């Protein structure tokens, strides 16, 4: 978090600038992860983090459940330690 860049050249020209955009990158990562290791789709997934995760873990969980579900994965739970929640 805070050091994420997108684009082909990775020079920082396309820096990720929002929680929503960052979680879209995480969804893309998970989709590609399950393409590479499809047998792991059968395992439940837990999303965990601390500190700033109080901002992006709930958004990621919401997207996985409602907005951008990945077929045949089970979001079993989330855990946030010492989460930052104040906007």
């Amino acid at each position: 978090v805070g050091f994420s860049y997108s684009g082909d050249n990775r020079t920082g020209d396309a820096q990720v600038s929002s929680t929503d955009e960052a979680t879209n990158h995480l969804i893309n990562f998970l989709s590609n992860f399950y393409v590479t290791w499809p047998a792991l789709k059968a395992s439940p997934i837990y999303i965990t983090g601390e500190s700033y995760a109080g901002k992006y873990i709930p958004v990621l969980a919401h997207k996985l459940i409602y907005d951008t579900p990945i077929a045949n994965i089970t979001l079993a739970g989330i855990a946030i330690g010492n989460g930052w929640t104040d906007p």
Side-chain angles (χ1 to χ4, degrees), residues 14-63:
Q15 185 174 8
V16 176
S17 61
S18 72
T19 302
D20 189 60
E21 188 178 358
T23 55
N24 288 340
H25 285 268
L26 292 170
I27 297 280
N28 186 51
F29 164 78
L30 283 173
S31 296
N32 287 319
F33 179 87
Y34 289 123
V35 166
T36 304
W37 291 284
L40 294 177
K41 273 189 168 185
S43 300
I45 183 172
Y46 293 85
I47 304 170
T48 65
E50 56 97 20
S51 188
Y52 198 76
K55 300 296 270 183
Y56 67 86
I57 296 285
V59 175
L60 177 59
H62 186 273
K63 283 184 179 236

